[in-house]
Amino acid sequence: MLFESFGTDSFLLITALLFFSGILVARFSSRWGIPSLVLFILVGMLVGSDGLGLIYFDDARVAQIIGVFSLVIILFEGGLHTKWSTVRSVAGPSLSLATLGVLITSCIVGFAAYFILDIRLVEGLLFGAIVGSTDAAAVFAALKERNIKAKMGATLEAESGTNDPMAVFLTLSLIELIIMEDSSIFMMIPTFFIQMGLGLILGVAFGKLASFSINHIKLDSSALYPIFSVAFALITYSVTSFAGGSGFLAVYVAALVIGNSELTYRYSIFQFNEGFAWMAQILMFIILGLLVFPGQLFTLEIMINGFLLSAILIIIARPAAVFVSTIKMKYSLKEKTFLSWAGLRGAVPIVLATFPIVEGLDNSQTLFNIVFFVVLTSTLVQGSTISYAANLLDLVGPKKDVPHHSIELISMGKASAEMIQYQTNRESAIVGKKLRDVSFPNRANISAIIRNNQVVTPYGETEIKDGDFLYILVEAKYKEQLKKILEQKTIHEDGS
């Protein structure tokens, strides 16, 4: 094969081509209406041994390591962009879906797998646990820039960010039951609460430590701060896992704390992590695509069993989990229906499916192939119709206003100054005022105003309007004073 014949040069060339192809499919995925992760997987399958034969890859352990690393980066980026004010209102339902919902889904699919695949019950439940959780990478990618109601988006994102620990716990526990037949699932229940508790506590602790460190450690280059944040993500996962906690939960919680804190070089950190998360997604899904052999995957038996289990997961298990988990919670029938349909599966089930292979369990390759097929079915059928489902159920929210402009700054290093981006709204007290009438701090200068994606050169007579993006250069010691001025609200005649 080409990969084996030309060594290092070939490896670098193929890596570059894979990243280029990943970027191209991401560019066209929304236009084609196909989730990008499916296209990434197909790229991996195409260049693999059953495709063009460029790369032979069958090391499940390496794929597992790359998958876990990528999931940490993706969860961290998702948590950074999650607003606590939005998540707080759906925290209860999201946690219920992330725990009880995963358990219900795993049991229903597990019993179905037991009958359909003609395997032992514990192996069927293992299959159910592997596909039991929604996937953060798939959900974050599917909801990005889609104008779905904030309540629905927040519920799905919070659920997908916190339900991986439950799926990991169930998967590892069932593998232990298979390997050690004298062990009991009831003996593992305390372990679950220890893992969740440590994950939450250490996540908050590392999040606060990271926020404090980023704001108080003066680095020579602003480019080092994003790398600093990624280092915290990795150490949060590692330390928590070594301590016996849930590393995935800790990373998401830490990112949530960091993202909702005041940060030096906030936008540099966010932009870097967004790009890094894209790279992690491309790498992870291509590697997972390489790991599967289409000749084994697309056999009649795998396809029939995969379709049956996919249908049970999508039509029976997921809706049952949603409706039971949200009992007596303020969700309408339409909202529950949408949550049922939007429970995407993605990288997490495929990565978890490598654990039985690494442990050498019976039927592990068959389970992996069927899990892979279920994921493809879920992402193709559900992922490509999320917007349609939201429209059909009248759950479309206001169009997301994502600025496509940016201002690049030369690293200010030890200058203790930064560029602040602030978007005005109708309630902002400064809206309608001219710049000369706003009492900005002496060391704060408006460098640019972006209005309707057009640059407005600011001067004293410039009037601030609703929806303007203000870019303000301010010394660090005047940042809080500037923030108070920007966050002042308009007082109406009725006193509201």
Side-chain angles (χ1 to χ4, degrees):
M1 292 187 179
L2 183 63
F3 179 77
E4 296 173 338
S5 303
F6 294 97
T8 302
D9 294 340
S10 177
F11 172 79
L12 294 176
L13 174 61
I14 292 176
T15 301
L17 292 176
L18 290 177
F19 276 118
F20 271 124
S21 60
I23 292 168
L24 288 175
V25 300
R27 171 67 180 83
F28 292 104
S29 65
S30 58
R31 181 179 299 179
W32 296 338
I34 302 174
S36 56
L37 64 89
V38 174
L39 297 178
F40 297 152
I41 288 175
L42 292 179
V43 168
M45 294 170 66
L46 178 65
V47 301
S49 57
D50 279 3
L52 298 176
L54 298 179
I55 302 174
Y56 181 86
F57 180 78
D58 64 351
D59 195 325
R61 185 177 294 277
V62 172
Q64 185 183 108
I65 293 170
I66 294 173
V68 170
F69 172 82
S70 300
L71 287 172
V72 168
I73 301 302
I74 293 165
L75 277 172
F76 186 69
E77 190 268 341
L80 285 178
H81 285 85
T82 302
K83 294 182 179 179
W84 173 243
S85 58
T86 305
V87 171
R88 181 171 51 196
S89 61
V90 297
S94 298
L95 289 176
S96 180
L97 286 166
T99 50
L100 179 60
V102 171
L103 182 61
I104 293 172
T105 302
S106 300
C107 289
I108 293 175
V109 176
F111 276 99
Y114 165 63
F115 288 107
I116 293 173
L117 302 180
D118 192 25
I119 54 181
R120 292 187 296 162
L121 179 59
V122 68
E123 293 175 334
L125 292 174
L126 174 60
F127 176 88
I130 290 171
V131 298
S133 68
T134 59
D135 182 64
V139 171
F140 292 157
L143 297 182
K144 191 168 289 186
E145 296 191 19
R146 281 186 168 90
N147 52 328
I148 293 168
K149 279 191 175 180
K151 180 183 179 182
M152 295 293 94
T155 303
L156 289 168
E157 288 184 359
E159 176 199 4
S160 64
T162 56
N163 68 2
D164 293 344
M166 183 67 172
V168 172
F169 169 76
L170 291 175
T171 299
L172 296 181
S173 297
L174 288 164
I175 289 175
E176 186 176 336
L177 281 176
I178 294 172
I179 295 175
M180 303 173 61
E181 295 183 356
D182 58 339
S183 59
S184 169
I185 190 68
F186 297 105
M187 296 172 58
M188 300 174 186
I189 293 176
T191 305
F192 170 75
F193 289 102
I194 292 173
Q195 288 184 2
M196 298 304 107
L198 283 174
L200 181 61
I201 294 169
L202 292 178
V204 172
F206 274 108
K208 289 185 177 296
L209 177 61
S211 302
F212 179 85
S213 301
I214 290 170
N215 288 331
H216 290 83
I217 295 178
K218 301 299 181 183
L219 302 176
D220 290 334
S221 172
S222 60
L224 295 174
Y225 287 92
I227 301 173
F228 197 37
S229 68
V230 172
F232 265 104
L234 297 175
I235 201 168
T236 298
Y237 175 85
S238 302
V239 171
T240 305
S241 296
F242 281 130
S246 171
F248 288 129
L249 179 61
V251 167
Y252 184 75
V253 171
L256 196 61
V257 173
I258 296 169
N260 287 274
S261 303
E262 286 295 326
L263 293 178
T264 302
Y265 300 110
R266 179 183 187 86
Y267 298 102
S268 297
I269 292 171
F270 277 43
Q271 289 168 4
F272 175 87
N273 278 281
E274 185 175 5
F276 198 22
W278 269 110
M279 188 177 76
Q281 283 190 59
I282 293 171
L283 174 65
M284 174 176 61
F285 287 117
I286 288 178
I287 289 294
L288 293 177
L290 286 170
L291 188 61
V292 71
F293 291 81
Q296 299 176 11
L297 180 66
F298 297 111
T299 62
L300 185 61
E301 182 180 5
I302 295 294
M303 291 173 66
I304 291 174
N305 292 335
F307 273 126
L308 286 173
L309 290 169
S310 294
I312 291 170
L313 172 63
I314 295 171
I315 300 172
I316 300 174
R318 172 64 180 180
V322 169
F323 277 78
V324 172
S325 300
T326 57
I327 288 176
K328 294 185 179 181
M329 297 182 186
K330 297 179 180 179
Y331 285 84
S332 66
L333 178 61
K334 287 184 176 181
E335 289 173 336
K336 291 180 180 181
T337 303
F338 179 76
L339 291 175
S340 300
W341 186 253
L344 301 180
R345 269 59 190 173
V348 171
I350 301 176
V351 172
L352 290 180
T354 64
F355 283 80
I357 296 178
V358 171
E359 295 295 336
L361 300 186
D362 295 337
N363 301 315
S364 58
Q365 189 61 51
T366 300
L367 291 180
F368 177 85
N369 289 332
I370 297 177
V371 167
F372 202 100
F373 195 88
V374 168
V375 169
L376 283 180
T377 306
S378 172
T379 49
L380 278 172
V381 175
Q382 295 172 281
S384 59
T385 56
I386 281 185
S387 294
Y388 176 76
N391 279 298
L392 187 66
L393 296 168
D394 193 25
L395 294 174
V396 177
K399 187 176 181 180
K400 291 184 179 180
D401 192 1
V402 180
H404 296 285
H405 42 77
S406 63
I407 294 180
E408 296 292 339
L409 292 178
I410 298 174
S411 170
M412 290 177 282
K414 299 178 181 179
S416 297
E418 63 179 286
M419 186 71 76
I420 301 296
Q421 176 188 270
Y422 176 77
Q423 184 181 19
T424 62
N425 55 62
R426 294 178 182 178
E427 297 182 353
S428 300
I430 61 175
V431 168
K433 292 184 178 181
K434 296 181 179 179
L435 290 181
R436 60 178 172 79
D437 297 327
V438 181
S439 301
F440 288 118
N442 291 331
R443 298 303 178 90
N445 297 306
I446 294 185
S447 301
I449 297 176
I450 307 296
R451 182 178 297 158
N452 298 323
N453 289 325
Q454 300 294 322
V455 178
V456 176
T457 302
Y459 62 98
E461 294 297 316
T462 302
E463 182 180 329
I464 301 173
K465 296 186 177 181
D466 177 26
D468 283 353
F469 285 90
L470 308 181
Y471 287 86
I472 308 169
L473 185 62
V474 61
E475 288 190 19
K477 61 183 177 181
Y478 294 105
K479 184 177 175 181
E480 287 302 317
Q481 183 181 347
L482 173 64
K483 180 182 175 183
K484 290 178 182 178
I485 294 171
L486 294 175
E487 293 183 347
Q488 287 179 355
K489 304 297 182 182
T490 301
I491 300 176
H492 302 282
E493 293 182 359
D494 60 0
S496 61

